[in-house]
Amino acid sequence: MLPEQRKRTIVELVSERDGCSVEELSAELDVSKATIRRDLDALEEERLVERSHGGAVPVTAVGREQTYVQKEVQNLEAKTAIGERAATEIHDGQVVFFDSGTTTMQVAKRAPTETAFIPVTNSPLLALELGKNADDVKLTGGTLRHRTRALVGPSAEAFMDRTNFDLLFLGTNGIAGDGSLTTPNEDEARIKELMVESAERVVLVTDETKFGERSFVEFASLADVDVLVTDAEPAGEIEEACAAADVTVGVEVPDDR
């Protein structure tokens, strides 16, 4: 395993298990404890984990929002699989909005190059990716939130108020058992709410780690969603909420499972 792949795996394990010891990581990845300690020190400097006595714990906590960089390395295989499946929803002649986020980035990376569509986004990072194959990419404008690299604020909201889209790829920080979709930041919640209102068809893209999670601000519900593309079959309350909202569920399992 290459060093960067190993570090990405460490972040995933620490996040999934709500903390890991050096011994656990050493055994899991079959490398020395000294190597794990060096990796953890480097990851802490990047604010991807927090060192604890004998190991590491996730940076994220109640009331704290992860950065784009932190999310970028988590569940990458799942997000890649989701992006591959979701991109098949794009058809010729559509106006397609890509919400900011690391999962929607994977959709953008896999957008069909032979299909003529108009991409729109509130993310400069996604705009650059989409611009590799599109002649023009529409940006909402607004104020850049450094933490998530999303454009928000009055200018972005004014853009949303006067535009309409055939298709929206929407991200979320949590899908609660009652079907509510939530995010930590009020400004981003407002932009997401306007995205949903302006879209003819909504495709929610999220990995299973968001199932059962509830963040600070509700911006929509599964009743607003047409398709959920994820990496595992919803179960329990989430399955019931999808059925009640008549959401079509598309499951794409990553190759590493």
Side-chain angles (χ1 to χ4, degrees):
M1 186 181 294
L2 295 174
E4 288 308 309
Q5 184 182 359
R6 185 178 65 241
K7 289 178 183 177
R8 192 175 74 214
T9 302
I10 289 172
V11 174
E12 291 180 356
L13 290 172
V14 168
S15 299
E16 289 170 3
R17 300 176 184 179
D18 200 28
C20 292
S21 68
V22 170
E23 288 77 8
E24 286 177 312
L25 293 169
S26 175
E28 184 90 20
L29 300 174
D30 195 26
V31 295
S32 70
K33 294 177 183 178
T35 297
I36 293 296
R37 291 190 185 96
R38 285 195 296 270
D39 286 348
L40 291 178
D41 288 340
L43 291 168
E44 185 174 48
E45 285 185 11
E46 296 176 53
R47 299 181 64 188
L48 297 175
V49 300
E50 289 181 1
R51 289 301 307 270
S52 63
H53 181 69
V57 296
V59 171
T60 187
V62 174
R64 191 184 301 177
E65 184 179 16
Q66 287 187 306
T67 66
Y68 184 95
V69 174
Q70 288 169 331
K71 293 178 181 178
E72 194 173 27
V73 299
Q74 294 174 355
N75 304 316
L76 183 57
E77 288 80 7
K79 292 174 182 178
T80 299
I82 291 167
E84 191 78 42
R85 164 63 179 81
T88 64
E89 297 286 334
I90 300 173
H91 300 298
D92 199 63
Q94 290 183 321
V95 178
V96 184
F97 196 102
F98 294 78
D99 187 10
S100 64
T102 56
T103 306
T104 48
M105 172 62 85
Q106 294 305 318
V107 184
K109 284 178 178 290
R110 286 152 186 83
T113 56
E114 71 284 357
T115 301
F117 69 97
I118 301 172
V120 190
T121 184
N122 67 324
S123 165
L125 292 179
L126 267 74
L128 290 171
E129 180 62 38
L130 291 162
K132 292 177 181 178
N133 295 305
D135 291 333
D136 296 297
V137 180
K138 308 294 185 184
L139 268 171
T140 61
T143 301
L144 180 66
R145 288 196 72 225
H146 181 73
R147 192 164 192 82
T148 59
R149 315 292 168 84
L151 294 169
V152 297
S155 295
E157 292 173 19
F159 177 94
M160 302 301 297
D161 281 335
R162 64 177 187 269
T163 51
N164 298 288
F165 321 109
D166 296 296
L167 181 64
L168 164 64
F169 291 111
L170 178 68
T172 186
N173 291 76
I175 306 176
D178 62 2
S180 60
L181 308 179
T182 55
T183 194
N185 181 264
E186 290 175 284
D187 291 332
E188 289 201 38
R190 178 55 182 158
I191 293 297
K192 287 175 181 287
E193 183 180 7
L194 292 171
M195 289 176 196
V196 172
E197 290 177 3
S198 299
E200 184 70 25
R201 182 174 169 83
V202 178
V203 178
L204 180 65
V205 289
T206 185
D207 62 78
E208 65 171 324
T209 64
K210 308 302 192 305
F211 294 172
E213 296 295 316
R214 190 188 294 274
S215 197
F216 181 49
V217 187
E218 180 177 349
F219 61 86
S221 74
L222 286 174
D224 301 303
V225 173
D226 297 286
V227 179
L228 166 63
V229 181
T230 186
D231 60 321
E233 288 286 354
E237 288 185 327
I238 305 301
E239 180 182 19
E240 293 173 5
C242 287
D246 197 26
V247 174
T248 300
V249 178
V251 177
E252 195 69 28
V253 180
D255 293 336
D256 63 338
R257 290 190 189 169

